[in-house]
Amino acid sequence: MGMNIFQKICNSHKLDYRQTELAIIPDQVLTHDGTATPVYLQLEAIGIKKIKPFTVTYVDHNTLQVGFRNADDHRYLKAMAAKLGSIFSKPGNGICHQVHLENFARPGQILVGSDSHTPMAGAVGMLSIGAGGLDVATVMAGEPLFVKTPKVAGIKLEGRLPPWSAGKDVILYLLKLLSVKGGVGKIIEFFGPGVETLSIPDRATICNMSAEMGVTSCIFPSDGQTERFLKSFGRRNEWQALAADNDAAYAETIAIDLGGIEPLIALPHSPDNVKKVSEVEGVPLWQVGIGSCTNASFKDLAVVAHILEAKTVHPDVDLVISPGSRRTAMQIAETGNLKKLMAAGARILENTCGPCNGVGMSPASSGNSLRTYNRNYKGRSGTLDANVYLGSPETAAASALFGCITDPRKLGPYPGISMPESFPDNSNMFIAPADDPESVAVVKGPNIQPMPLGSPLEMRLECPVKLKTGDNITTDHILPGGAEMLSLRSNVPASVPYVFNRLDPDFAGRVDTLPGQWTIVGGDNFGQGSSREHAVMVPLLIGMKMVIAKSFARTFRQNLINFGAVPLVFKNPEDYDQIETDDLLVIEDAIIQVKTGGVKVVNRSKNFTFETTGHFTDREKELILQGGLLNYLRLKNI
Ligand code: F3S
């Protein structure tokens, strides 16, 4: 039996994919300002003097620098990167995933990143996995990342995309088919004759947004398209061919005829709420946003420029465009595309995450915004009652012209976009680690506060239920993004008022003054979305000790364990229905029960007992017993 790509990369990295858990030492690491301050604070706490793997620290999430907080964070990150041995990507160089794809991603290697969209590097055949900040700090310290071995789902692509359909439509098609929890515990691997018809930017969009299905990773073969892409960024020598064997086996296989994929669109407020664009044409728009790590490549912006050439954006629409990287921005300038965009009325933003994460360009109250981004959770745009739609650059540009959701196929012949032979250099936007690390002064502004530590597990847990939620709760629900929140990433206590405020505006006030610990009860796929560990750290600080859910998103579950909180899954999902907010849940002999893996929970308020399971590995049990990864590492003395 032949091997698939995942198995080949495992073999080349001496990982046994037959085991239930992989201990991954990656070739590369990426982190960014949205998650990196805790990463570096944790490295300081562990006492690490030198980062082991090749690491790039990006500043891309909040570059507005309104007030001193972000600027202080950026100064701290720059100094820590220089001191501990990471490359520093300056603010304005671009969004981590796009910049990494252009400058560092390599076929056959492994990348770990403190961001859920890290799988984007799979576009060039790199096994790339998102993780929580503490996991990434551990990896930077030279320890492995532990990941439950995923199943490999093979997606066979046949045919070729029709004109006006793009990579975005492929991933929206998959989201409609599989849902936001359809990729949990899986790697999605593409193969088949349709692969070679997809450009690297299209593959990047697909891999990037596979995060919305909860995948562990997503990967394409490395082929001639990959070679041309790397060559255009001056990295032809880093290319290697990589493909599954013809007789490779997959845990499941789905066949997709690319020729049948129409322009699709995700409706508010979930990326899997997908319809054909033709079914929702005419919805009036207030804003169109083109950018984010998902769709801000040269190809994306060039096609928009061609559509808008010698035309004007509809008077009712605000069109905002943020290029994914400085190299992309310089290229659209050099090729005359920037002029076309500006002449049509587009507002050109900095090369950062920006509006994707609610950092500026929030829609007007109850406004409709069509974006090429990857998430449309309620409130993520910064406007709680806005309606955010997700579509391709083609659909976004057509809609910007007509002022309403518009099927791009009515624009006539598709503009032929050829990828450039070469891109401008951006090496002056990377700062190398210091030659003399001792000489680097690290200044911490007043907003940079120590990160909280978890506490060792006690023998008896007595936790009232302070919130009961439905399915698919995102980390944005638990702790929102946006400019204000991102300026508090380094200050966990200051973030407390925002915990769960999207679900219950009074939540922090109700809970903050409680003397003891408490719990949350959730539905399926609890904690999906961003990998931000603040969604664990901040509730932990005010007493959250466990979460009981029907199922968890992978990174959120791991973040809970990393901070010594207990994730438990209902053995019988119907028990979820019997629990109400303020019920008192008690676990006797918690230490013994966690060690065995099955945990009986007594609902004292309703007088019944229900069974849960942790699916804990031996290492996870140790982490929970000791109060989290930081305590564990200190004891281990790494
Ligand atoms: Fe940034 Fe949005 Fe991507 S916040 S990393 S552009 S998902």
Side-chain angles (χ1 to χ4, degrees):
M1 180 65 69
M3 285 189 286
N4 56 47
I5 297 173
F6 168 68
Q7 292 167 335
K8 288 186 178 185
I9 294 179
C10 283
N11 272 358
S12 65
H13 288 76
K14 298 190 172 36
L15 295 167
D16 185 353
Y17 53 81
R18 294 169 203 85
Q19 302 291 319
T20 54
E21 192 175 50
L22 299 173
I24 298 172
I25 300 281
D27 303 289
Q28 299 183 6
V29 171
L30 75 77
T31 185
H32 60 65
D33 58 310
T35 52
T37 322
V39 167
Y40 280 107
L41 288 169
Q42 285 151 0
L43 287 172
E44 276 192 286
I46 304 169
I48 296 301
K49 298 274 182 274
K50 177 98 180 84
I51 295 167
K52 298 263 174 60
F54 173 85
T55 298
V56 187
T57 303
Y58 293 90
V59 173
D60 58 0
H61 270 56
N62 190 354
T63 59
L64 285 183
Q65 299 174 335
V66 174
F68 65 91
R69 292 187 180 91
N70 285 120
D72 281 1
D73 284 357
H74 300 167
R75 179 176 60 182
Y76 171 71
L77 294 178
K78 185 178 172 194
M80 287 302 289
K83 199 173 188 69
L84 299 192
S86 164
I87 290 176
F88 180 73
S89 174
K90 292 174 76 176
N93 192 27
I95 307 171
C96 57
H97 305 302
Q98 182 68 29
V99 178
H100 210 84
L101 188 73
E102 294 173 353
N103 295 277
F104 304 110
R106 290 181 75 153
Q109 289 200 347
I110 300 180
L111 169 70
V112 168
S114 63
D115 189 279
S116 55
H117 293 101
T118 301
M120 178 157 152
V124 294
M126 185 173 209
L127 180 61
S128 40
I129 300 173
L134 193 43
D135 271 330
V136 170
T138 312
V139 167
M140 287 160 76
E143 293 288 300
L145 175 75
F146 291 91
V147 176
K148 283 196 175 154
T149 307
K151 291 181 187 164
V152 184
I155 303 216
K156 185 175 186 186
L157 298 179
E158 286 161 340
R160 174 184 286 274
L161 284 173
W164 297 109
S165 291
K168 182 66 146 234
D169 302 303
V170 177
I171 190 64
L172 289 174
Y173 177 89
L174 280 170
L175 272 155
K176 183 178 171 69
L177 191 69
L178 301 175
S179 88
V180 288
K181 55 186 179 186
V184 174
K186 296 177 190 169
I187 283 182
I188 288 183
E189 184 173 314
F190 291 90
F191 68 104
V195 166
E196 67 177 16
T197 70
L198 291 176
S199 66
I200 299 301
D202 278 323
R203 297 180 195 183
T205 298
I206 294 167
C207 287
N208 175 293
M209 215 170 155
S210 69
E212 273 47 74
M213 298 190 292
V215 300
T216 301
S217 193
C218 180
I219 194 161
F220 274 86
S222 170
D223 58 9
Q225 293 268 16
T226 322
E227 184 181 10
R228 283 190 292 282
F229 179 83
L230 292 178
K231 183 166 173 265
S232 69
F233 287 99
R235 299 198 291 131
R236 162 68 183 77
N237 60 338
E238 295 176 22
W239 177 77
Q240 67 175 75
L242 182 63
D245 294 328
N246 287 336
D247 57 347
Y250 297 97
E252 60 191 278
T253 306
I254 298 171
I256 296 178
D257 174 13
L258 292 172
I261 297 219
E262 293 185 36
L264 298 171
I265 189 164
L267 274 50
H269 298 283
S270 180
D272 63 355
N273 187 14
V274 174
K275 292 218 182 312
K276 293 177 183 173
V277 174
S278 58
E279 292 174 313
V280 289
E281 272 199 302
V283 174
L285 294 172
W286 182 88
Q287 180 189 65
V288 171
I290 295 170
S292 89
C293 57
T294 321
N295 271 117
S297 67
F298 172 82
K299 176 194 173 250
D300 294 328
L301 303 189
V303 78
V304 172
H306 277 74
I307 292 169
L308 298 184
E309 185 172 6
K311 300 188 179 76
T312 292
V313 169
H314 191 277
D316 294 341
V317 170
D318 210 10
L319 173 63
V320 292
I321 296 179
S322 35
S325 73
R326 181 163 288 245
R327 295 181 94 170
T328 293
M330 289 194 286
Q331 188 72 333
I332 62 164
E334 276 187 14
T335 49
N337 288 301
L338 180 61
K339 193 172 171 189
K340 292 175 194 166
L341 295 171
M342 294 184 78
R347 300 168 65 187
I348 308 298
L349 310 180
E350 197 178 10
N351 322 308
T352 62
C353 301
C356 169
N357 204 17
V359 180
M361 303 299 144
S362 299
S365 296
S366 66
N368 295 334
S369 175
L370 168 56
R371 299 171 162 212
T372 65
Y373 312 164
N374 45 35
R375 288 180 176 150
N376 60 346
Y377 308 146
K378 196 171 175 55
R380 182 177 166 92
S381 65
T383 303
L384 202 51
D385 62 356
N387 296 305
V388 175
Y389 298 76
L390 304 174
S392 69
E394 288 83 350
T395 299
S399 302
L401 282 179
F402 287 91
C404 58
I405 292 176
T406 302
D407 190 327
R409 291 175 293 188
K410 67 170 48 165
L411 292 174
Y414 188 73
I417 304 295
S418 49
M419 287 295 286
E421 293 287 313
S422 65
F423 280 78
D425 180 60
N426 70 332
S427 50
N428 58 356
M429 294 299 285
F430 294 113
I431 298 181
D435 292 333
D436 177 11
E438 293 297 322
S439 68
V440 178
V442 177
V443 179
K444 280 188 200 143
N447 190 50
I448 300 177
Q449 298 292 321
M451 296 294 129
L453 280 177
S455 55
L457 188 66
E458 292 167 17
M459 197 51 109
R460 186 172 194 275
L461 295 182
E462 188 173 309
C463 299
V465 177
K466 296 321 291 178
L467 192 69
K468 183 178 176 186
T469 75
D471 295 342
N472 298 320
I473 291 300
T474 70
T475 45
D476 277 61
H477 286 113
I478 302 170
L479 199 76
E484 192 178 354
M485 284 310 305
L486 276 167
S487 70
L488 300 177
R489 280 286 195 263
S490 309
N491 190 337
V492 172
S495 305
V496 166
Y498 301 89
V499 178
F500 284 112
N501 72 346
R502 293 266 161 89
L503 298 174
D504 175 358
D506 299 327
F507 184 82
R510 279 200 295 124
V511 168
D512 198 9
T513 51
L514 288 180
Q517 297 171 327
W518 45 270
T519 186
I520 301 285
V521 169
D524 264 323
N525 200 23
F526 191 93
Q528 67 158 330
S530 159
S531 65
R532 70 184 72 129
E533 60 190 346
H534 293 74
V536 168
M537 280 194 284
V538 183
L540 178 96
L541 187 69
I542 53 172
M544 185 180 79
K545 186 59 186 175
M546 64 177 173
V547 180
I548 308 176
K550 291 182 184 173
S551 65
F552 288 96
R554 175 182 63 90
T555 307
F556 184 79
R557 175 185 175 278
Q558 197 58 53
N559 284 341
L560 285 172
I561 293 170
N562 286 348
F563 283 90
V566 191
L568 295 173
V569 176
F570 288 103
K571 249 188 178 167
N572 178 3
E574 283 84 59
D575 288 328
Y576 164 91
D577 300 326
Q578 314 299 319
I579 302 172
E580 291 178 290
T581 302
D582 288 331
D583 282 1
L584 182 64
L585 305 186
V586 175
I587 300 177
E588 305 285 0
D589 300 324
I591 293 175
I592 296 164
Q593 293 209 64
V594 163
K595 279 183 179 170
T596 62
V599 177
K600 283 188 178 149
V601 184
V602 181
N603 185 330
R604 285 259 185 263
S605 307
K606 300 271 177 358
N607 214 14
F608 74 97
T609 299
F610 60 95
E611 290 187 52
T612 65
T613 178
H615 301 296
F616 302 126
T617 63
D618 288 345
R619 182 176 165 279
E620 288 173 344
K621 289 173 188 172
E622 275 303 304
L623 295 184
I624 292 170
L625 296 189
Q626 292 178 15
L629 187 53
L630 223 44
N631 294 335
Y632 174 83
L633 293 173
R634 276 188 173 146
L635 285 175
K636 210 175 155 203
N637 214 12
I638 70 164

